Amino acid sequence: MNNLFLFPKTEQYYEDELTRFLRTEQYTDALQLLTFLLQFPNVDESKTEQWEALRHWLYTMFPETMFPTTTQQEEDEEEEKDLLRQYIREKTTDEGYALKLLNLLKEGTLEEQVSALEQLGFLDQPGLGQSVREWLNERPRHPHIQFKALQALKHMGENGIVEFPKNGKTIAVDIEETPLCPEEFPLRIRDMIRRVGDISETSQPDFVYFARQTWQEFLAYAYGTAIYTDLVSAEEGAVDVWASALHAILQEKLFGTVNREEILDNYGIVDSMTLQWKRAHLVLQAFVQQFSPDPS
């Protein structure tokens, strides 16, 4: 790890992410981020000590959060959903609450729009689904918020085809086929990110956390387009192609350098797969350049 370098803007980006995780009590995510950051040798010593102290505090204060059982994780997630449903039901006694959410959807920041969509998904009021459909169809928007809108429509019980502009085209998506969580994506697509974890677990055990986050954003970017269709219909060998392309893109972005030959060798990319790999790499590169902050 001695040849890895954390760029100043990248460090600030992850510091902001860490603050957000702590503010929203996402302690497991905060721990994973701290573990990743502590791998870099070029960081100021005082900053390293601060991160070490924070990681120790998380282990000490929230052991049940740091080491949850699978059953506990599932129970916690379901409890969170129940609390959100209860909160939304209480809010619906205010007849103007749904209108406030729709106004946020139209005029709010990206974070406010995500929050509005998550809450709208739990409301059961006539006309809300149509309002979200019209908002989605109105003009091109960030792929992340478009995907959140599709999930909200599915939560509402909406069905059928919805059309909206994306990546310079008008696409049509079946609402009922929209995945509500990573586990609902097709197996082949899940295998692609699992493969990154298999390759990086020894040398860079926390790398997959950022790969998974980027992959989910990429799936939102690709959903409903020809790119997503290709992912779904890909043959088994495409798992290594897309996983290695993602690995190469992220390694260069995070560390400023990438040993492409080593990555291709680790993933078993042979000469006959080179053209397919270059195409996947170009698609991922275009996505990262468009929607991911420049760390340099």
Side-chain angles (χ1 to χ4, degrees):
M1 296 291 293
N2 291 333
N3 63 335
L4 300 183
F5 188 86
L6 188 63
F7 292 97
K9 286 186 179 180
T10 311
E11 181 179 331
Q12 184 58 54
Y13 170 74
Y14 288 129
E15 283 268 278
D16 293 342
E17 283 289 281
L18 181 59
T19 300
R20 182 174 66 84
F21 288 150
L22 294 172
R23 188 175 64 246
T24 56
E25 300 182 0
Q26 296 175 260
Y27 299 127
T28 302
D29 289 334
L31 178 67
Q32 290 177 315
L33 180 52
L34 285 167
T35 302
F36 175 79
L37 290 172
L38 286 166
Q39 296 179 98
F40 293 92
N42 69 296
V43 178
D44 182 77
E45 184 177 353
S46 62
K47 179 63 67 175
T48 300
E49 291 175 355
Q50 178 184 337
W51 289 342
E52 284 279 14
L54 182 55
R55 184 169 67 165
H56 178 72
W57 178 78
L58 286 170
Y59 274 124
T60 303
M61 299 300 294
F62 306 101
E64 72 288 349
T65 303
M66 297 302 102
F67 308 103
T69 63
T70 302
T71 302
Q72 181 185 335
Q73 286 177 316
E74 292 172 350
E75 290 176 352
D76 288 347
E77 288 173 2
E78 191 57 39
E79 183 179 353
E80 289 176 4
K81 289 180 182 177
D82 289 340
L83 288 173
L84 180 57
R85 290 189 188 98
Q86 181 180 348
Y87 171 78
I88 299 300
R89 279 197 296 267
E90 291 173 355
K91 284 290 187 179
T92 54
T93 57
D94 175 5
E95 293 182 358
Y97 187 65
L99 183 58
K100 292 176 184 177
L101 292 177
L102 288 176
N103 286 336
L104 268 183
L105 185 60
K106 295 175 182 178
E107 302 174 6
T109 64
L110 184 62
E111 287 187 0
E112 289 172 335
Q113 289 177 328
V114 169
S115 176
L117 284 168
E118 288 177 346
Q119 295 181 66
L120 284 167
F122 288 100
L123 295 182
D124 183 18
Q125 293 186 16
L128 283 183
Q130 183 60 33
S131 295
V132 174
R133 284 173 183 260
E134 291 173 357
W135 172 86
L136 185 58
N137 181 261
E138 186 178 48
R139 62 180 174 83
R141 302 181 188 277
H142 193 289
H144 177 75
I145 199 70
Q146 289 178 325
F147 190 69
K148 285 291 184 182
L150 292 173
Q151 291 179 319
L153 287 169
K154 185 173 180 178
H155 272 302
M156 291 176 185
E158 293 285 314
N159 51 49
I161 303 297
V162 59
E163 294 186 351
F164 55 95
K166 183 174 185 177
N167 298 348
K169 298 181 179 180
T170 297
I171 66 170
V173 172
D174 188 334
I175 295 171
E176 292 176 288
E177 293 182 359
T178 304
L180 295 178
C181 62
E183 291 72 27
E184 290 188 8
F185 280 94
L187 179 61
R188 189 78 79 213
I189 288 178
R190 286 182 278 138
D191 280 345
M192 291 171 182
I193 193 61
R194 176 193 55 76
R195 186 77 171 112
V196 176
D198 291 343
I199 293 295
S200 62
E201 64 180 355
T202 301
S203 59
Q204 297 170 300
D206 302 292
F207 182 80
V208 72
Y209 166 75
F210 299 94
R212 186 179 296 114
Q213 193 173 43
T214 302
W215 187 242
Q216 289 303 313
E217 291 294 332
F218 172 69
L219 291 178
Y221 162 81
Y223 193 74
T225 70
I227 298 171
Y228 187 79
T229 301
D230 289 343
L231 287 173
V232 172
S233 60
E235 298 180 355
E236 187 174 353
V239 170
D240 286 324
V241 169
W242 281 94
S244 57
L246 176 66
H247 196 137
I249 287 286
L250 281 183
Q251 192 158 48
E252 185 171 14
K253 178 176 175 57
L254 292 171
F255 308 137
T257 183
V258 58
N259 187 332
R260 184 174 295 186
E261 290 185 3
E262 181 181 5
I263 288 178
L264 295 179
D265 183 60
N266 287 341
Y267 282 88
I269 305 299
V270 296
D271 290 344
S272 62
M273 303 163 71
T274 301
L275 182 58
Q276 189 181 5
W277 189 89
K278 287 181 178 179
R279 287 173 178 167
H281 187 269
L282 282 172
V283 169
L284 286 165
Q285 190 174 52
F287 157 72
V288 168
Q289 289 175 346
Q290 186 175 359
F291 294 106
S292 191
D294 182 2
S296 60

PDB file of all heavy atoms in Angstrom, residues 81-102:
ATOM      1  N   LYS A  81     -38.136   0.580   8.432  1.00  0.00           N
ATOM      2  CA  LYS A  81     -39.224   0.751   7.472  1.00  0.00           C
ATOM      3  C   LYS A  81     -40.554   0.964   8.204  1.00  0.00           C
ATOM      4  O   LYS A  81     -41.362   1.804   7.802  1.00  0.00           O
ATOM      5  CB  LYS A  81     -39.314  -0.465   6.563  1.00  0.00           C
ATOM      6  CG  LYS A  81     -38.171  -0.592   5.575  1.00  0.00           C
ATOM      7  CD  LYS A  81     -38.334  -1.823   4.702  1.00  0.00           C
ATOM      8  CE  LYS A  81     -37.165  -1.977   3.732  1.00  0.00           C
ATOM      9  NZ  LYS A  81     -37.284  -3.210   2.917  1.00  0.00           N
ATOM     10  N   ASP A  82     -40.784   0.194   9.266  1.00  0.00           N
ATOM     11  CA  ASP A  82     -42.035   0.332  10.026  1.00  0.00           C
ATOM     12  C   ASP A  82     -42.131   1.715  10.660  1.00  0.00           C
ATOM     13  O   ASP A  82     -43.207   2.328  10.671  1.00  0.00           O
ATOM     14  CB  ASP A  82     -42.120  -0.747  11.110  1.00  0.00           C
ATOM     15  CG  ASP A  82     -42.367  -2.132  10.527  1.00  0.00           C
ATOM     16  OD1 ASP A  82     -42.835  -2.208   9.377  1.00  0.00           O
ATOM     17  OD2 ASP A  82     -42.085  -3.128  11.217  1.00  0.00           O
ATOM     18  N   LEU A  83     -41.020   2.195  11.208  1.00  0.00           N
ATOM     19  CA  LEU A  83     -41.012   3.521  11.826  1.00  0.00           C
ATOM     20  C   LEU A  83     -41.283   4.602  10.777  1.00  0.00           C
ATOM     21  O   LEU A  83     -42.002   5.569  11.047  1.00  0.00           O
ATOM     22  CB  LEU A  83     -39.658   3.773  12.504  1.00  0.00           C
ATOM     23  CG  LEU A  83     -39.404   2.987  13.792  1.00  0.00           C
ATOM     24  CD1 LEU A  83     -37.964   3.201  14.262  1.00  0.00           C
ATOM     25  CD2 LEU A  83     -40.372   3.415  14.893  1.00  0.00           C
ATOM     26  N   LEU A  84     -40.698   4.421   9.589  1.00  0.00           N
ATOM     27  CA  LEU A  84     -40.929   5.399   8.526  1.00  0.00           C
ATOM     28  C   LEU A  84     -42.390   5.388   8.093  1.00  0.00           C
ATOM     29  O   LEU A  84     -43.001   6.445   7.905  1.00  0.00           O
ATOM     30  CB  LEU A  84     -40.018   5.102   7.331  1.00  0.00           C
ATOM     31  CG  LEU A  84     -40.136   6.051   6.139  1.00  0.00           C
ATOM     32  CD1 LEU A  84     -39.877   7.489   6.562  1.00  0.00           C
ATOM     33  CD2 LEU A  84     -39.181   5.637   5.020  1.00  0.00           C
ATOM     34  N   ARG A  85     -42.964   4.183   7.953  1.00  0.00           N
ATOM     35  CA  ARG A  85     -44.380   4.086   7.578  1.00  0.00           C
ATOM     36  C   ARG A  85     -45.256   4.784   8.617  1.00  0.00           C
ATOM     37  O   ARG A  85     -46.191   5.505   8.278  1.00  0.00           O
ATOM     38  CB  ARG A  85     -44.783   2.614   7.456  1.00  0.00           C
ATOM     39  CG  ARG A  85     -44.184   1.897   6.263  1.00  0.00           C
ATOM     40  CD  ARG A  85     -44.812   0.525   6.091  1.00  0.00           C
ATOM     41  NE  ARG A  85     -44.126  -0.260   5.080  1.00  0.00           N
ATOM     42  CZ  ARG A  85     -43.212  -1.185   5.338  1.00  0.00           C
ATOM     43  NH1 ARG A  85     -42.888  -1.448   6.599  1.00  0.00           N
ATOM     44  NH2 ARG A  85     -42.620  -1.840   4.359  1.00  0.00           N
ATOM     45  N   GLN A  86     -44.952   4.537   9.898  1.00  0.00           N
ATOM     46  CA  GLN A  86     -45.734   5.144  10.979  1.00  0.00           C
ATOM     47  C   GLN A  86     -45.609   6.666  10.941  1.00  0.00           C
ATOM     48  O   GLN A  86     -46.597   7.396  11.095  1.00  0.00           O
ATOM     49  CB  GLN A  86     -45.247   4.613  12.328  1.00  0.00           C
ATOM     50  CG  GLN A  86     -46.013   5.173  13.525  1.00  0.00           C
ATOM     51  CD  GLN A  86     -45.492   4.624  14.845  1.00  0.00           C
ATOM     52  OE1 GLN A  86     -44.727   3.673  14.866  1.00  0.00           O
ATOM     53  NE2 GLN A  86     -45.905   5.231  15.936  1.00  0.00           N
ATOM     54  N   TYR A  87     -44.375   7.145  10.719  1.00  0.00           N
ATOM     55  CA  TYR A  87     -44.134   8.585  10.657  1.00  0.00           C
ATOM     56  C   TYR A  87     -44.926   9.225   9.522  1.00  0.00           C
ATOM     57  O   TYR A  87     -45.570  10.260   9.691  1.00  0.00           O
ATOM     58  CB  TYR A  87     -42.641   8.826  10.470  1.00  0.00           C
ATOM     59  CG  TYR A  87     -42.278  10.271  10.182  1.00  0.00           C
ATOM     60  CD1 TYR A  87     -42.235  11.213  11.203  1.00  0.00           C
ATOM     61  CD2 TYR A  87     -41.958  10.685   8.889  1.00  0.00           C
ATOM     62  CE1 TYR A  87     -41.900  12.541  10.940  1.00  0.00           C
ATOM     63  CE2 TYR A  87     -41.623  11.998   8.616  1.00  0.00           C
ATOM     64  CZ  TYR A  87     -41.596  12.919   9.652  1.00  0.00           C
ATOM     65  OH  TYR A  87     -41.261  14.219   9.381  1.00  0.00           O
ATOM     66  N   ILE A  88     -44.899   8.568   8.355  1.00  0.00           N
ATOM     67  CA  ILE A  88     -45.606   9.100   7.195  1.00  0.00           C
ATOM     68  C   ILE A  88     -47.112   9.086   7.425  1.00  0.00           C
ATOM     69  O   ILE A  88     -47.833  10.026   7.075  1.00  0.00           O
ATOM     70  CB  ILE A  88     -45.261   8.316   5.924  1.00  0.00           C
ATOM     71  CG1 ILE A  88     -43.750   8.423   5.646  1.00  0.00           C
ATOM     72  CG2 ILE A  88     -46.034   8.834   4.736  1.00  0.00           C
ATOM     73  CD1 ILE A  88     -43.267   9.831   5.453  1.00  0.00           C
ATOM     74  N   ARG A  89     -47.623   7.998   8.020  1.00  0.00           N
ATOM     75  CA  ARG A  89     -49.072   7.915   8.278  1.00  0.00           C
ATOM     76  C   ARG A  89     -49.520   9.037   9.203  1.00  0.00           C
ATOM     77  O   ARG A  89     -50.595   9.617   9.024  1.00  0.00           O
ATOM     78  CB  ARG A  89     -49.408   6.544   8.884  1.00  0.00           C
ATOM     79  CG  ARG A  89     -49.517   5.428   7.862  1.00  0.00           C
ATOM     80  CD  ARG A  89     -50.248   4.235   8.445  1.00  0.00           C
ATOM     81  NE  ARG A  89     -49.518   3.651   9.552  1.00  0.00           N
ATOM     82  CZ  ARG A  89     -48.658   2.644   9.416  1.00  0.00           C
ATOM     83  NH1 ARG A  89     -48.419   2.127   8.223  1.00  0.00           N
ATOM     84  NH2 ARG A  89     -48.033   2.143  10.459  1.00  0.00           N
ATOM     85  N   GLU A  90     -48.684   9.338  10.205  1.00  0.00           N
ATOM     86  CA  GLU A  90     -49.031  10.430  11.119  1.00  0.00           C
ATOM     87  C   GLU A  90     -49.034  11.767  10.388  1.00  0.00           C
ATOM     88  O   GLU A  90     -49.864  12.634  10.649  1.00  0.00           O
ATOM     89  CB  GLU A  90     -48.029  10.461  12.276  1.00  0.00           C
ATOM     90  CG  GLU A  90     -48.155   9.266  13.228  1.00  0.00           C
ATOM     91  CD  GLU A  90     -47.048   9.231  14.251  1.00  0.00           C
ATOM     92  OE1 GLU A  90     -46.128  10.075  14.160  1.00  0.00           O
ATOM     93  OE2 GLU A  90     -47.087   8.356  15.154  1.00  0.00           O
ATOM     94  N   LYS A  91     -48.105  11.930   9.465  1.00  0.00           N
ATOM     95  CA  LYS A  91     -48.018  13.176   8.718  1.00  0.00           C
ATOM     96  C   LYS A  91     -49.196  13.362   7.759  1.00  0.00           C
ATOM     97  O   LYS A  91     -49.580  14.497   7.449  1.00  0.00           O
ATOM     98  CB  LYS A  91     -46.702  13.221   7.922  1.00  0.00           C
ATOM     99  CG  LYS A  91     -45.470  13.514   8.766  1.00  0.00           C
ATOM    100  CD  LYS A  91     -45.475  14.944   9.258  1.00  0.00           C
ATOM    101  CE  LYS A  91     -44.194  15.304   9.961  1.00  0.00           C
ATOM    102  NZ  LYS A  91     -44.184  16.721  10.434  1.00  0.00           N
ATOM    103  N   THR A  92     -49.753  12.261   7.290  1.00  0.00           N
ATOM    104  CA  THR A  92     -50.830  12.373   6.309  1.00  0.00           C
ATOM    105  C   THR A  92     -52.115  12.923   6.912  1.00  0.00           C
ATOM    106  O   THR A  92     -53.067  13.192   6.184  1.00  0.00           O
ATOM    107  CB  THR A  92     -51.137  10.999   5.670  1.00  0.00           C
ATOM    108  OG1 THR A  92     -51.413  10.036   6.692  1.00  0.00           O
ATOM    109  CG2 THR A  92     -49.976  10.529   4.816  1.00  0.00           C
ATOM    110  N   THR A  93     -52.166  13.066   8.233  1.00  0.00           N
ATOM    111  CA  THR A  93     -53.317  13.728   8.834  1.00  0.00           C
ATOM    112  C   THR A  93     -53.343  15.206   8.434  1.00  0.00           C
ATOM    113  O   THR A  93     -54.366  15.858   8.498  1.00  0.00           O
ATOM    114  CB  THR A  93     -53.277  13.599  10.373  1.00  0.00           C
ATOM    115  OG1 THR A  93     -52.048  14.149  10.864  1.00  0.00           O
ATOM    116  CG2 THR A  93     -53.359  12.135  10.787  1.00  0.00           C
ATOM    117  N   ASP A  94     -52.187  15.718   8.056  1.00  0.00           N
ATOM    118  CA  ASP A  94     -52.089  17.074   7.519  1.00  0.00           C
ATOM    119  C   ASP A  94     -52.333  16.989   6.015  1.00  0.00           C
ATOM    120  O   ASP A  94     -51.538  16.438   5.265  1.00  0.00           O
ATOM    121  CB  ASP A  94     -50.691  17.638   7.805  1.00  0.00           C
ATOM    122  CG  ASP A  94     -50.483  19.003   7.157  1.00  0.00           C
ATOM    123  OD1 ASP A  94     -51.443  19.549   6.572  1.00  0.00           O
ATOM    124  OD2 ASP A  94     -49.355  19.521   7.242  1.00  0.00           O
ATOM    125  N   GLU A  95     -53.456  17.510   5.572  1.00  0.00           N
ATOM    126  CA  GLU A  95     -53.850  17.378   4.172  1.00  0.00           C
ATOM    127  C   GLU A  95     -52.842  18.020   3.229  1.00  0.00           C
ATOM    128  O   GLU A  95     -52.731  17.643   2.069  1.00  0.00           O
ATOM    129  CB  GLU A  95     -55.237  18.007   3.957  1.00  0.00           C
ATOM    130  CG  GLU A  95     -56.361  17.250   4.664  1.00  0.00           C
ATOM    131  CD  GLU A  95     -57.714  17.874   4.386  1.00  0.00           C
ATOM    132  OE1 GLU A  95     -57.745  18.900   3.672  1.00  0.00           O
ATOM    133  OE2 GLU A  95     -58.715  17.344   4.885  1.00  0.00           O
ATOM    134  N   GLY A  96     -52.087  18.991   3.731  1.00  0.00           N
ATOM    135  CA  GLY A  96     -51.134  19.679   2.857  1.00  0.00           C
ATOM    136  C   GLY A  96     -49.767  19.024   2.800  1.00  0.00           C
ATOM    137  O   GLY A  96     -48.884  19.495   2.075  1.00  0.00           O
ATOM    138  N   TYR A  97     -49.583  17.908   3.548  1.00  0.00           N
ATOM    139  CA  TYR A  97     -48.254  17.302   3.617  1.00  0.00           C
ATOM    140  C   TYR A  97     -47.811  16.746   2.272  1.00  0.00           C
ATOM    141  O   TYR A  97     -46.667  16.938   1.855  1.00  0.00           O
ATOM    142  CB  TYR A  97     -48.228  16.200   4.681  1.00  0.00           C
ATOM    143  CG  TYR A  97     -46.849  15.641   4.924  1.00  0.00           C
ATOM    144  CD1 TYR A  97     -45.846  16.438   5.455  1.00  0.00           C
ATOM    145  CD2 TYR A  97     -46.543  14.318   4.594  1.00  0.00           C
ATOM    146  CE1 TYR A  97     -44.580  15.947   5.672  1.00  0.00           C
ATOM    147  CE2 TYR A  97     -45.275  13.814   4.812  1.00  0.00           C
ATOM    148  CZ  TYR A  97     -44.295  14.628   5.344  1.00  0.00           C
ATOM    149  OH  TYR A  97     -43.033  14.146   5.558  1.00  0.00           O
ATOM    150  N   ALA A  98     -48.706  16.037   1.583  1.00  0.00           N
ATOM    151  CA  ALA A  98     -48.359  15.478   0.265  1.00  0.00           C
ATOM    152  C   ALA A  98     -47.996  16.598  -0.710  1.00  0.00           C
ATOM    153  O   ALA A  98     -47.063  16.457  -1.513  1.00  0.00           O
ATOM    154  CB  ALA A  98     -49.517  14.660  -0.282  1.00  0.00           C
ATOM    155  N   LEU A  99     -48.734  17.721  -0.613  1.00  0.00           N
ATOM    156  CA  LEU A  99     -48.435  18.860  -1.482  1.00  0.00           C
ATOM    157  C   LEU A  99     -47.051  19.434  -1.178  1.00  0.00           C
ATOM    158  O   LEU A  99     -46.311  19.812  -2.090  1.00  0.00           O
ATOM    159  CB  LEU A  99     -49.500  19.940  -1.308  1.00  0.00           C
ATOM    160  CG  LEU A  99     -49.371  21.179  -2.204  1.00  0.00           C
ATOM    161  CD1 LEU A  99     -49.397  20.767  -3.683  1.00  0.00           C
ATOM    162  CD2 LEU A  99     -50.483  22.174  -1.906  1.00  0.00           C
ATOM    163  N   LYS A 100     -46.686  19.457   0.113  1.00  0.00           N
ATOM    164  CA  LYS A 100     -45.356  19.934   0.496  1.00  0.00           C
ATOM    165  C   LYS A 100     -44.269  19.048  -0.103  1.00  0.00           C
ATOM    166  O   LYS A 100     -43.239  19.534  -0.590  1.00  0.00           O
ATOM    167  CB  LYS A 100     -45.225  19.952   2.019  1.00  0.00           C
ATOM    168  CG  LYS A 100     -46.093  20.987   2.714  1.00  0.00           C
ATOM    169  CD  LYS A 100     -45.972  20.862   4.226  1.00  0.00           C
ATOM    170  CE  LYS A 100     -46.919  21.833   4.932  1.00  0.00           C
ATOM    171  NZ  LYS A 100     -46.859  21.674   6.420  1.00  0.00           N
ATOM    172  N   LEU A 101     -44.509  17.729  -0.078  1.00  0.00           N
ATOM    173  CA  LEU A 101     -43.540  16.799  -0.651  1.00  0.00           C
ATOM    174  C   LEU A 101     -43.421  16.984  -2.161  1.00  0.00           C
ATOM    175  O   LEU A 101     -42.318  16.949  -2.714  1.00  0.00           O
ATOM    176  CB  LEU A 101     -43.940  15.354  -0.323  1.00  0.00           C
ATOM    177  CG  LEU A 101     -43.852  14.929   1.143  1.00  0.00           C
ATOM    178  CD1 LEU A 101     -44.340  13.496   1.309  1.00  0.00           C
ATOM    179  CD2 LEU A 101     -42.429  15.069   1.667  1.00  0.00           C
ATOM    180  N   LEU A 102     -44.545  17.195  -2.818  1.00  0.00           N
ATOM    181  CA  LEU A 102     -44.509  17.409  -4.268  1.00  0.00           C
ATOM    182  C   LEU A 102     -43.784  18.711  -4.613  1.00  0.00           C
ATOM    183  O   LEU A 102     -43.060  18.785  -5.607  1.00  0.00           O
ATOM    184  CB  LEU A 102     -45.937  17.431  -4.828  1.00  0.00           C
ATOM    185  CG  LEU A 102     -46.670  16.085  -4.866  1.00  0.00           C
ATOM    186  CD1 LEU A 102     -48.102  16.281  -5.338  1.00  0.00           C
ATOM    187  CD2 LEU A 102     -45.941  15.091  -5.773  1.00  0.00           C
TER     188      LEU A 102
END
